[in-house]
Each structure stands twice: as C-alpha cells, then as structure tokens.
C-alpha cells in the first residue's frame, strides 16, 4: 500500500514547487518520500524523481509523430500512460514503503472532462493505494470576482470528475493581494461563503456592456451550481512557511487515511500525530493568515464589497 498525493492545478499554480517543498517537509518528519513525475512537459525538475513519465513517452516525440500541438500532445501522452498502465503499476510496486507525491500536468481539461487521468488514479486506488487529490489554485485569483467564479467551477468539476478525496488549496497566499485588495475577508474565499455576493461586483466592473449582459445569467448559474453542491472550500498555503505546510498536510493526511494507518518518526503506534495536532479555531486557521498577508483593515471595511459600510 502507498499513501500519497495527486498534485493537480492550472499552469503556474505552483505544483512542482509544492512537490519540492513538501518533499523537504515530509523528509524532516521522518517519512520516506518519493516523487513521481507524470508531467511530460516538465523539463526541469528541482527534485529527484523516483519515476518519470518521460522515460515512457516524450512530449516532443508525440507532437512530431502525430502532428499535434502542445495541448494535444499532452493529452496523447496521458492516453498512452493509460494504455500502458503496467509501467506505472511497476513503479508504484517499487515504492511500496514510500509516501508518494505525483506531480501532474497543468492542463485543466485532463481533470474536468478527459477520462485518462481519472482512469489511471482509479486503477491505482483499486491496487489499494490511498491517494488524495491536492488541487492548487493561485490565491491572487481571489482579487478578481470573475476569475474566482471560474476557479470555483473548475474546482467543482475536478472533484466530480476524479472522484477522489480532494483538498483544495489557495497557493502562494503570501501574494493573495498582489493584484489588488480583496473585496471580502479571507474566510469568504476559503469557506466559499455565499458566492452570489460576487455577482454585483461583476456588474460593477463590466457595467452595462453587451459582454456583461451576455454572461450575467451564466455567472449566476455557475454560482448557483457551486452552492447547490456545497463541496468547495479551500485551505491556504505558503510553501515556504512550515506552519502553513503543516496545516495543509494535516488536512491531506485525514483525507487519504494516513492519520489512521501510518506512523512517523519510528512511533510504535498506527496513529499519525506529528502534523495532525489539535483542531484549530477559525481565527487561527484563517485569521492569522489574513493578518500576516493582507492589508490592515478594520471590521467595518469587510461588511460590504469594496469597503462600503452598510
């Protein structure tokens, strides 16, 4: 049995950096950790991969042989992996004593509507491997209502498509306001509290343009869909902050069952205690992050979007 994480997310969300940082943190905890690179477009790896899809198929070769563009070639590589699953099964068999991080490609279609990744991870699950999807999203998308609504849709689609335990993470939270101040407090975005409150902000930003009119109903339906499923929420992560990494790891260990079925640092019990700790209150989980990485603000500024008081 292998415990591990399937690290997914859009391009630039920090998947490879996450794997590098998590390897260092897990190693410090005493876990025997390995990374499996399943992104054929990942040309420079900052970590030593225990298994690499590029030894099975080349993205450039797939593109040239099949006359495909970058996206088509990437999909072809994952379909080839699905057809040659025995290669991946052999790699996991060699890593049976390891905690495994799977570094995945950044093409969102692979997790929202294409079947190959889902088929591969479900086959690994049937081999009794305990995997959790870790979905990374840039935290600065919170500063743009339109982008955050799209993030909610992509996240929900991924959860439904993959059918895995999934921990959603706002990565690079130290840059959460790099492109502008947030309209609400951070827990609005982490807990997805009443996302319909984003709709008036979209109208304000686009005015009465034809674009706004065409997409107003679509945005409203997306928000309604997210609220109906009531599945999406986010942890926050600064990969260079060990306390932040510990909080995220705690959620992941609960999701894949490591907290109940493995031990760290040579402990002689089957209960994981090193990163789990005691439950956090919301002011510790979100409030401390907001205080550290967001602009100073008083409570009245958070009651209405844009800082307007009621």
């Amino acid at each position: 049995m292998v415990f591990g994480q399937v690290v997914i997310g859009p391009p630039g969300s920090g998947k490879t950096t996450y794997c590098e940082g998590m390897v260092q943190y897990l190693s410090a905890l005493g876990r025997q950790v390995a990374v499996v690179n399943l992104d054929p477009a990942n040309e420079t790896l900052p970590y030593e991969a225990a298994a690499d899809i590029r030894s099975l198929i080349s993205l450039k070769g797939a593109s040239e042989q099949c006359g495909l563009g970058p996206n088509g070639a990437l999909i072809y590589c994952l379909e080839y992996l699905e057809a040659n699953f025995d290669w991946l099964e052999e790699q996991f068999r060699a890593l049976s004593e390891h905690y495994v991080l799977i570094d995945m490609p950044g093409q969102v279609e692979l997790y929202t509507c294409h079947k190959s990744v889902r088929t591969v991870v479900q086959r690994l699950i049937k081999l009794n491997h305990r995997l959790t999807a870790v979905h990374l999203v840039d935290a600065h998308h919170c500063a743009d209502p339109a982008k955050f609504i799209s993030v909610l849709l992509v996240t929900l689609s991924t959860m439904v498509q993959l059918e895995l335990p999934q921990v959603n993470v706002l990565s690079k939270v130290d840059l959460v306001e790099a492109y502008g101040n947030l309209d609400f407090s951070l827990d609005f975005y982490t807990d997805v509290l009443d996302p319909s409150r984003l709709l008036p902000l979209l109208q304000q930003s686009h005015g009465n343009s034809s674009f706004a009119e065409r997409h107003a109903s679509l945005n409203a339906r997306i928000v309604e869909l997210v609220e109906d499923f009531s599945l999406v929420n986010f942890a926050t992560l600064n990969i260079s902050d060990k306390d932040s990494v510990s909080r995220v790891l705690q959620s992941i260990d609960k999701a894949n069952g490591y907290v109940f079925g493995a031990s760290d640092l040579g402990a002689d019990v089957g209960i994981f205690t090193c990163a789990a700790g005691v439950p956090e209150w919301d002011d510790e989980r979100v409030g401390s992050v907001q205080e550290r990485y967001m602009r100073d603000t008083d409570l009245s500024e958070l009651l209405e979007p844009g800082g307007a008081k009621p």
Side-chain angles (χ1 to χ4, degrees), residues 13-25:
S13 57
K15 296 181 296 298
T16 298
T17 302
Y18 170 89
C19 288
E20 179 187 18
M22 190 59 75
V23 164
Q24 296 174 12
Y25 186 78

Side-chain angles (χ1 to χ4, degrees), residues 26 29 34-35 89 108 130 146 153 156 159 170 181 205 293 295:
L26 291 170
L29 285 181
V35 184
E89 182 179 0
V108 295
R130 304 288 184 87
L153 180 59
L156 178 60
M159 297 176 78
L170 295 176
N181 297 329
S205 61
Y293 298 120
R295 66 186 177 92

Side-chain angles (χ1 to χ4, degrees), residues 169-299:
V169 179
L170 295 176
S171 63
K172 308 176 189 176
V173 72
D174 51 316
L175 303 176
V176 63
E177 290 190 324
Y179 297 98
N181 297 329
L182 302 191
D183 293 292
F184 301 98
S185 58
L186 187 59
D187 62 346
F188 174 88
Y189 302 93
T190 57
D191 298 340
V192 192
L193 302 171
D194 192 12
S196 61
R197 297 178 67 188
L198 295 169
L199 298 176
L201 298 175
L202 286 175
Q203 187 175 1
Q204 291 174 17
S205 61
H206 294 295
N208 296 320
S209 66
S210 58
F211 177 88
E213 293 176 357
R214 289 197 304 270
H215 292 84
S217 179
L218 174 61
N219 287 320
R221 299 289 83 77
I222 292 174
V223 167
E224 182 180 344
L225 179 68
V226 172
E227 290 180 323
D228 286 347
F229 272 86
S230 190
L231 290 174
V232 180
N233 55 52
F234 297 93
T236 60
L237 175 67
N238 174 6
I239 193 62
S240 62
D241 181 351
K242 68 176 183 178
D243 291 332
S244 179
V245 175
S246 177
R247 284 192 292 266
V248 170
L249 182 59
Q250 175 182 339
S251 297
I252 296 168
D253 284 339
K254 289 177 181 177
N256 64 19
Y258 188 90
V259 68
F260 304 112
S263 58
D264 275 338
L265 302 178
D268 58 359
V269 294
I271 302 296
F272 171 60
T273 58
C274 291
V278 296
E280 290 186 297
W281 298 104
D282 277 349
D283 61 347
E284 296 173 326
R285 181 178 60 87
V286 176
S288 61
V289 176
Q290 177 167 308
E291 181 180 358
R292 184 172 183 181
Y293 298 120
M294 293 174 62
R295 66 186 177 92
D296 292 334
T297 183
D298 60 50
L299 180 61

Side-chain angles (χ1 to χ4, degrees), residues 34-38 47 49-52 87-88 92 95 100-103:
V35 184
V36 173
N37 176 47
L38 293 187
Y47 51 77
D52 193 334
W87 173 84
L88 186 60
F92 266 71
L95 299 173
V100 175
L101 304 173
I102 307 176
D103 194 358

